Amino acid sequence: MTGTGRMKQRQLGTDGPMVGAVGLGCMSFSGMFGPTTEEASLVTMQAAVDAGITFWDTSNIYGAGTSEAVIGKFLKETGAKIVLATKVGIVRGADHFDNSPDHIRAELEGSLKRLNRDKVELYYIHRREQARPVEEVAETMAKLIEEGLIDSYGLSEVAPSTLRRAHAVHPCRAVQNEYSLMTRLPELGLIQTCAELGVAFVPFSPVARGYLTDRSISPTDFAEGEFRSLIPRFNEPNLSFNAPYRDALRDFARARGWTTSALAIAWTLHQGDHQIPIPATRTPEHLAEWLAAPDIALSPDDRAELDRIMPVGWAHGDRYWDSQAQKVERYC
């Protein structure tokens, strides 16, 4: 592996590989958080490798395969050794999910081709197709493991009950759901279930899609069509209601010599040793802002103050707009 990063490591589920304690979300390489270029993505990926970030997460639908393709180019050009996760299940250009064996296999073949890989270490069901028993889906993934096309499978945005059912058919390696100081739903059973079953919990958007950083977010900054422009918490009046909480977090981080994003990610790491957050970024500069997260030790007093600054349920506005919210499993 190129690079000399010495990031602390964590295990990706029971019997899984050791990876950097903080991973890399690769949705940004598709332009979904604003415009980017292939060159900028390649430079950012090299910075991640140099920092010891060895667990990367992408999807077949990010930029209609753009994210996978640029990762594949980077891997081919550099020979970097990473633990790679990609996802399947959301049908591009349609408003439904498909967890059928034929769809999963066909999409995996496309992903592997774009990624310049013979296999991926982790293959997620991006969204669950509710009409199809999850036991059948677990059997499909188990067959892909048996064939050597994937090392393990995972689930995304699911309820604890779904995880238990799938895990009983074939052990699940990881579950990823949105989780941050701003989005706390997984605390109502999913994090605990993952710990009980030996499944890694992978928080995506640990800095709340860029909100818990040292840069302010305004709807006027969003590129045309950017999906954050549809999210209620990023629009008024919710944006103004949320600002005092974010500002208090910034002040707390600044007083201790930390960046806000590093503190937000460190908080997720402190919620359990089985957690491996995957913040996304488009630039090496932003990546550098949160590299210190695994080295931040939060004292009991620090955590108590964070609970006071950002009590459970403080966020104004949902994390998804109504039609999108209907596509994730809700269990409370």
Side-chain angles (χ1 to χ4, degrees):
M1 172 177 174
T2 58
T4 58
R6 298 184 182 276
M7 178 177 284
K8 292 178 179 177
Q9 296 201 325
R10 289 189 168 184
Q11 190 169 18
L12 185 64
T14 302
D15 298 328
M18 298 299 295
V19 296
V22 176
L24 180 67
C26 299
M27 185 174 174
S28 296
F29 300 150
S30 67
M32 294 182 73
F33 281 99
T36 189
T37 65
E38 181 179 280
E39 180 182 6
S41 296
L42 294 172
V43 170
T44 302
M45 283 185 271
Q46 185 61 55
V49 170
D50 292 342
I53 299 174
T54 56
F55 176 46
W56 296 8
D57 179 277
T58 185
S59 171
N60 64 331
I61 65 161
Y62 293 166
T66 300
S67 175
E68 289 182 330
V70 73
I71 292 171
K73 179 175 182 178
F74 177 82
L75 296 178
K76 183 176 181 179
E77 292 180 351
T78 66
K81 306 299 182 184
I82 61 169
V83 173
L84 188 58
T86 192
K87 298 185 281 291
V88 66
I90 300 177
V91 180
R92 287 192 293 266
D95 193 30
H96 70 277
F97 309 142
D98 189 344
N99 295 170
S100 67
D102 288 347
H103 180 77
I104 289 174
R105 182 177 293 275
E107 289 298 313
L108 177 59
E109 290 173 356
S111 291
L112 292 175
K113 184 176 181 179
R114 287 187 291 272
L115 292 165
N116 283 305
R117 284 287 204 95
D118 295 325
K119 69 172 183 178
V120 289
E121 287 79 12
L122 178 60
Y123 198 37
Y124 284 103
I125 295 298
H126 205 163
R127 293 291 186 272
R128 181 187 168 197
E129 180 189 353
Q130 292 295 323
R132 189 179 303 274
V134 73
E135 290 83 358
E136 175 191 315
V137 181
E139 289 173 356
T140 298
M141 303 301 257
K143 185 167 179 57
L144 295 175
I145 293 170
E146 181 182 346
E147 295 176 21
L149 296 174
I150 64 176
D151 283 347
S152 62
Y153 80 97
L155 302 167
S156 177
E157 292 277 26
V158 296
S161 57
T162 295
L163 171 58
R164 290 187 184 279
R165 288 171 57 189
H167 193 77
V169 174
H170 191 281
C172 179
R173 179 156 289 174
V175 171
Q176 65 166 242
N177 279 46
E178 184 173 352
Y179 184 53
S180 70
L181 278 162
M182 200 174 193
T183 298
R184 305 284 287 271
L185 176 62
E187 294 176 4
L188 297 179
L190 187 58
I191 290 173
Q192 298 90 331
T193 303
C194 285
E196 174 192 336
L197 299 178
V199 176
F201 181 71
V202 179
F204 70 80
S205 299
V207 296
R209 304 191 189 278
Y211 192 70
L212 303 181
T213 71
D214 292 317
R215 292 173 304 282
S216 295
I217 287 180
S218 168
T220 59
D221 299 330
F222 296 145
E224 184 177 355
E226 185 184 331
F227 81 104
R228 283 186 297 181
S229 66
L230 300 173
I231 296 176
R233 61 180 47 168
F234 291 137
N235 286 280
E236 296 296 354
N238 297 319
L239 201 62
S240 292
F241 287 140
N242 288 329
Y245 296 91
R246 178 208 57 205
D247 293 345
L249 184 69
R250 286 178 177 173
D251 291 342
F252 179 90
R254 188 180 303 113
R256 287 154 179 79
W258 304 326
T259 65
T260 303
S261 56
L263 171 59
I265 295 167
W267 178 87
T268 66
L269 290 168
H270 278 73
Q271 304 310 303
D273 292 340
H274 64 310
Q275 297 208 24
I276 304 172
I278 49 169
T281 184
R282 287 176 288 161
T283 69
E285 292 77 19
H286 290 173
L287 183 147
E289 292 177 5
W290 43 257
L291 282 180
D295 299 316
I296 292 177
L298 296 176
S299 70
D301 287 345
D302 288 334
R303 298 184 69 172
E305 181 63 7
L306 287 171
D307 287 341
R308 186 191 69 79
I309 291 172
M310 291 190 158
V312 175
W314 65 269
H316 293 253
D318 201 347
R319 67 189 183 102
Y320 283 133
W321 57 101
D322 287 348
S323 62
Q324 190 73 6
Q326 295 172 7
K327 298 176 181 179
V328 299
E329 286 198 339
R330 287 180 275 186
Y331 50 93
C332 296

